[in-house]
Amino acid sequence: MAAWLGVVSAEHVARGVALGIAQTNHGKRTGLARMSPGDGLIYYSPQQRLGGTEPVRAFTAVGRICDQEIWQADEGEFRPWRRRVDYDLAARSVPIAQLRDRLDLTATPNWGYALRRGLLALSENDFALIQAAMTSRAG
C-alpha cells in the first residue's frame, strides 16, 4: 500500500469528507489513477479557501481509498474526477508546525515547493506519524 498527500483548501477538504470522496488537482483524473484501494490519503490545507489568504497550514483529513472506481461528477460546467474514501471522521486537524521536525516531507530545504504539485507520494513513516497525531484522542 502507498500513501498520498493531497494539497487542498480546508473548505474543499471539508466538502470532500462530507461526501466521502477524494478530488485532487482541480478535478483532474491523473492523480486519482495513481491510487489503489487501501492506500492512505492525507490532506494538507495551506489556506481556508482556494485563492484565499486565510492560512491554515495543517493536515485536515485522513482516510483510505475504498475501491478501484474513478468517476466523473457532474457539477454543471465543472466535471471533476473523484474516488471514494473512507475518512476517519473523528480525526482532528494538526498544524504542520507540530510535526515538521519529524517528517521526511519537510527534511529538505525548500520542501514547500513539492506541495505545489497538489498530490505527492508520502512515506510510510510520514503517513503513520501524521495519522497518529490526527487520531490521537489526547489534547
Side-chain angles (χ1 to χ4, degrees), residues 19-22 64-67 69 71 82-87:
L19 294 172
I21 57 105
R64 295 237 174 235
I65 302 300
C66 292
D67 56 32
E69 184 181 5
W71 78 95
R82 295 178 172 165
R83 288 192 82 148
R84 280 187 271 291
V85 179
D86 180 19
Y87 287 105

Side-chain angles (χ1 to χ4, degrees), residues 13 17 42-44 56 58-63 87-96 98-99 102 129-139:
V13 169
V17 170
I42 290 177
Y43 277 116
Y44 171 75
V56 174
F59 300 106
T60 50
V62 59
Y87 287 105
D88 183 334
L89 299 179
R92 63 183 178 92
S93 292
V94 173
I96 194 169
Q98 289 182 7
L99 304 174
R102 295 179 279 160
L129 183 63
I130 297 164
Q131 181 182 38
M134 293 180 77
T135 60
S136 168
R137 303 306 173 230

Side-chain angles (χ1 to χ4, degrees), residues 3 7 16 28 30 38-39 51 57 64-65 82 89 95 98 101 103-104 114 118 126 132 134 139:
V7 182
K28 293 186 176 86
T30 311
D39 282 0
R57 297 187 190 115
R64 295 237 174 235
I65 302 300
R82 295 178 172 165
L89 299 179
Q98 289 182 7
D101 63 339
L103 294 171
D104 299 329
D126 282 2
M134 293 180 77

Side-chain angles (χ1 to χ4, degrees), residues 5-73:
L5 181 72
V7 182
V8 176
S9 72
E11 182 177 70
H12 286 175
V13 169
R15 184 166 187 256
V17 170
L19 294 172
I21 57 105
Q23 182 177 306
T24 63
N25 297 93
H26 306 290
K28 293 186 176 86
R29 186 181 194 284
T30 311
L32 297 176
R34 295 169 55 196
M35 300 175 186
S36 298
D39 282 0
L41 176 64
I42 290 177
Y43 277 116
Y44 171 75
S45 299
Q47 72 275 341
Q48 182 61 35
R49 289 183 179 76
L50 179 63
T53 58
E54 183 182 349
V56 174
R57 297 187 190 115
F59 300 106
T60 50
V62 59
R64 295 237 174 235
I65 302 300
C66 292
D67 56 32
Q68 289 284 9
E69 184 181 5
I70 303 170
W71 78 95
Q72 195 167 25

